[in-house]
Amino acid sequence: MVDGLRNFIALQPIALAKSLFFIALVAAVGLLFAVEMQDFSLVFRGERRALQAILATLPLVWLYIALATVMARPLAAAIALLAGYVLSRMNEVKFAETGEPLVWSDISSTANLDVVLPYASALDVGAISLAITAVTVSVLYFRRRCLRSSRHYFLTAVLLTPLVLHAPLSRSVEPVAQPMEVVLSKMGIRYLSFDWSLNVRYNGLFWHVLHTGRIALPDAATEAEQKAYQQAAGRSADPPSSVDEVIVILCEACWHDTLHFTDNFQPLRDRGFQGFRAISPVYGGRTVNAAFELITGLPANGALNGVIYQGYIDYIRSSTDSYPAALVENGWSTRAAHNNWAAFWRRDVMLPRLGFEDFLSLEDMAAKEEVWARDRILYDAVFDSRGTVPGPAFFFLTSIYGHGPYGEEDDWGEAHFAYKMKRSIQDMTAFADRVLADNPDALILVLGDHKPSLGRYFHRHGILPRHYFLSVGESNRDYALGFHADPAVVGDVPAYVYHADAERRQALIEEMSGRPFYCLPEVLSRLYTGGSTPVLAYIRESGVCAQFEPGEYKKRSQAFPDWLYHQALFAPGERTDKRVSSGLNDLSD
């Protein structure tokens, strides 16, 4: 017995050394792929990234470990490295041809095979085929040497799975996935969803492909659901009288409550703007998801996930059934404007698909003066262009100046935030004064896009309780919201409305107070503009907004059926013919 134990102890270091050798080999070659083929940055903005360089290859190492549970280490390493090379090579070709990196759906969806296969050259296909043949022959003829079972590798692979696959897992097991994302973020692996090319440079292709795996696609409509959608197309509720100008301002990080930062918004109240509260789908960022709800009437946190403009750019069709598109069919002109670069969050591609005839971006405005452009250049560009917009006009403006981060000098960032809010509201009210002097009947609606990223301030002042956060610390950047936080509390933002017709203005306030952003298009169409879509008909007839209670935010957002998303945004073909009408009264089933 003693001799056997001695032999076991003597063998352990050798086995461990072999295991570490192959892990190091896969990591080293994977890092070579990342640097030479994926443009991964070992130095990013002057910072050396030793830990991030190691972590960049973790998905490939995990694949090797998973394969090594059932096959010999050399064979598992060869297959893992072959997979790493193939992905890197296909990414090179795709980026050269399209300017976009490889994403999860390129390799996970068989529907994309005809698009993806051309990214591999004939030489690549030949090499891959040869490697697959060699592996198959090796397994068949040298089964005992090639195949094995390892409980240690299996256990390691299982333990690493939630960390490596946290993004795809977030679609179904968010309580497990979100803490993993926080852990990786603290180690320097952060999903830069606003710029996929930068995400590859920052995290490496392997993480980027996994990051884009969080996208969930709604189920296609059945024949009966398609018919129900068509029948809903012509059902609208026309307003008592239409206005000729509607301006919606999505104000970057504009937030206050009755105790904090409220004085910054006094200039709006002084001009007759009436305030109420609404619920944004986002916190601290991802403004385009807030815009998505206001434009389509669909919840951003329902059948879709992630950053919608960026994540679904390859799926959303070129002409959708949106509220602005319905206005265009009714003779309105639609214009979007944002004082940031047009390509940021892919607004330049998505806004035309969502019904906007024109889009003014930072490239069309006066030169910016600071890191985040002053909002006055946005308002100046829009006001100066109003004369070029024929007929009744719908303007959708998104400001940027209030954007964080906020300098924490002897405070938790509140002084810098208050300074930004003061200037942002000053620019907004100056614009409103000019518009109303020119058109007293204009409807102007202002909504904060989300709470600012002041996690420490919100925690210390009791605005958001401690248990809402997965992590806390000494800086706002140390705070990460958890999946269990109440979305109605987290998303609570101020909104203001001005219109000369006090009765209709009050009706809008009553119908939108304490309700999600996605309720707004239906209210606007019914009270002010006319125009409808099947989505707005669903909202009106199902009572999903009229019967809304804050405690039911998730339930109400997820009540919108997949087929409604699919037909409004994804189904092939042109937009639904709005002239179709029907007596169908219930779309809630």
Side-chain angles (χ1 to χ4, degrees):
M1 176 185 270
V2 174
D3 291 339
L5 180 61
R6 287 174 179 172
N7 292 335
F8 175 78
I9 294 173
L11 285 174
Q12 286 298 94
I14 297 175
L16 179 62
K18 288 182 179 179
S19 297
L20 293 177
F21 169 77
F22 281 104
I23 289 174
L25 174 65
V26 171
V29 178
L31 183 59
L32 182 66
F33 290 158
V35 173
E36 296 298 327
M37 301 178 72
Q38 304 166 16
D39 198 27
F40 174 76
S41 298
L42 292 172
V43 178
F44 190 82
R45 295 176 180 171
E47 178 186 354
R48 295 184 182 277
R49 308 175 67 232
L51 177 60
Q52 290 87 344
I54 296 172
L55 290 174
T57 65
L58 182 58
L60 200 62
V61 170
W62 170 83
L63 177 61
Y64 157 70
I65 293 173
L67 292 171
T69 63
V70 294
M71 59 182 62
R73 287 184 288 257
L75 184 59
I79 294 175
L81 291 176
L82 176 63
Y85 171 79
V86 170
L87 288 177
S88 302
R89 178 61 183 150
M90 292 173 70
N91 178 69
E92 281 186 322
V93 177
K94 181 184 177 183
F95 192 83
E97 294 184 0
T98 69
E100 294 289 340
L102 206 67
V103 295
W104 175 270
S105 61
D106 287 336
I107 57 178
S108 65
S109 174
T110 56
N112 289 343
L113 285 178
D114 58 336
V115 177
V116 175
L117 288 179
Y119 297 148
S121 67
L123 182 62
D124 295 330
V125 173
I128 295 169
S129 301
L130 184 62
I132 293 174
T133 302
V135 169
T136 304
V137 170
S138 298
V139 170
L140 290 176
Y141 286 91
F142 305 99
R143 188 176 305 162
R144 290 185 178 180
R145 293 186 178 183
C146 293
L147 300 181
R148 65 172 197 152
S149 177
S150 171
R151 286 178 294 177
H152 297 92
Y153 275 82
F154 176 76
L155 180 60
T156 304
V158 169
L159 291 175
L160 285 175
T161 294
L163 189 67
V164 174
L165 299 184
H166 72 275
L169 288 173
S170 67
R171 291 183 290 179
S172 54
V173 284
E174 190 176 13
V176 174
Q178 194 174 45
M180 297 297 102
E181 186 171 3
V182 172
V183 169
L184 285 169
S185 178
K186 290 183 178 296
M187 292 190 292
I189 301 296
R190 302 183 185 90
Y191 180 26
L192 306 182
S193 55
F194 57 88
D195 188 332
W196 280 354
S197 299
L198 182 61
N199 193 49
V200 173
R201 287 183 55 208
Y202 187 80
N203 297 309
L205 176 68
F206 307 129
W207 278 116
H208 170 75
V209 169
L210 291 170
H211 283 157
T212 57
R214 67 186 67 213
I215 295 172
L217 289 173
D219 293 335
T222 65
E223 189 173 331
E225 290 165 346
Q226 292 177 33
K227 183 179 178 181
Y229 187 86
Q230 287 284 346
Q231 290 173 332
R235 297 203 300 276
S236 63
D238 295 329
S241 62
S242 180
V243 296
D244 62 0
E245 186 172 22
V246 174
I247 300 174
V248 176
I249 302 174
L250 192 55
C251 185
E252 173 62 43
C254 285
W255 184 86
H256 73 82
D257 63 9
T258 55
L259 298 177
H260 308 90
F261 308 111
T262 186
D263 290 346
N264 293 297
F265 293 78
Q266 189 60 42
L268 285 172
R269 296 189 287 268
D270 290 342
R271 286 161 172 78
F273 280 79
Q274 300 295 306
F276 60 96
R277 312 296 292 190
I279 303 175
S280 168
V282 291
Y283 168 86
R286 296 180 296 164
T287 296
V288 289
N289 279 15
F292 173 83
E293 290 200 350
L294 296 170
I295 290 168
T296 65
L298 289 165
N301 298 326
L304 309 183
N305 58 15
V307 181
I308 293 171
Y309 284 18
Q310 180 80 53
Y312 292 87
I313 192 168
D314 292 332
Y315 303 97
I316 293 178
R317 65 175 182 263
S318 60
S319 183
T320 61
D321 290 349
S322 67
Y323 172 55
L327 292 179
V328 170
E329 286 198 351
N330 280 10
W332 285 65
S333 296
T334 57
R335 172 170 288 177
H338 180 44
N339 50 327
N340 200 7
W341 306 112
F344 196 81
W345 285 136
R346 304 312 305 270
R347 286 180 174 92
D348 55 335
V349 175
M350 293 302 296
L351 287 172
R353 296 184 187 182
L354 294 173
F356 288 98
E357 300 173 303
D358 193 15
F359 173 41
L360 298 177
S361 63
L362 189 61
E363 291 90 335
D364 305 305
M365 301 174 188
K368 65 176 183 176
E369 304 164 358
E370 305 180 37
V371 174
W372 299 113
R374 278 290 296 268
D375 291 337
R376 65 186 176 207
I377 69 171
L378 165 70
Y379 300 127
D380 287 346
V382 171
F383 187 83
D384 293 343
S385 69
R386 285 168 72 241
T388 66
V389 181
F394 176 77
F395 294 93
F396 189 86
L397 317 184
T398 305
S399 70
I400 194 68
Y401 183 69
H403 203 292
Y406 311 103
E408 300 178 36
E409 299 180 8
D410 301 322
D411 66 1
W412 296 317
E414 64 265 30
H416 189 201
F417 171 73
Y419 170 77
K420 285 197 155 201
M421 283 299 97
K422 181 178 179 180
R423 301 181 88 188
S424 183
I425 298 303
Q426 283 177 343
D427 292 347
M428 183 189 300
T429 52
F431 170 69
D433 288 343
R434 297 170 70 188
V435 169
L436 294 173
D438 181 62
N439 181 10
D441 192 47
L443 168 67
I444 304 178
L445 188 63
V446 180
L447 303 102
D449 63 344
H450 51 67
K451 280 185 173 68
S453 51
L454 292 171
R456 181 172 172 81
Y457 180 86
F458 290 145
H459 172 209
R460 295 299 182 181
H461 286 269
I463 298 165
L464 296 177
R466 167 63 182 87
H467 68 271
Y468 277 16
F469 297 95
L470 286 175
S471 64
V472 299
E474 295 303 314
S475 169
N476 288 318
R477 296 188 180 187
D478 297 325
Y479 280 72
L481 272 177
F483 65 92
H484 51 280
D486 186 341
V489 175
V490 172
D492 171 68
V493 293
Y496 287 87
V497 60
Y498 181 94
H499 189 242
D501 186 335
E503 183 177 349
R504 274 197 288 175
R505 180 186 64 206
Q506 186 59 32
L508 183 147
I509 291 173
E510 291 176 0
E511 294 197 32
M512 279 301 301
S513 288
R515 287 177 171 80
F517 278 10
Y518 58 74
C519 298
L520 181 65
E522 192 280 324
V523 174
L524 285 179
S525 69
R526 180 163 38 82
L527 294 180
Y528 286 98
T529 66
S532 188
T533 69
V535 172
L536 304 191
Y538 174 84
I539 291 174
R540 188 164 50 250
E541 297 169 16
S542 68
V544 69
C545 286
Q547 301 166 14
F548 179 82
E549 295 292 339
E552 298 179 335
Y553 182 86
K554 285 187 177 181
K555 175 183 175 182
R556 293 288 180 178
S557 297
Q558 294 169 1
F560 286 69
D562 277 24
W563 59 263
L564 201 58
Y565 285 87
H566 184 265
Q567 292 302 110
L569 304 173
F570 300 99
E574 294 302 313
R575 296 184 59 246
T576 304
D577 185 351
K578 295 298 182 291
R579 295 168 297 180
V580 178
S581 62
S582 162
L584 185 64
N585 294 317
D586 189 3
L587 286 178
S588 59
D589 292 339

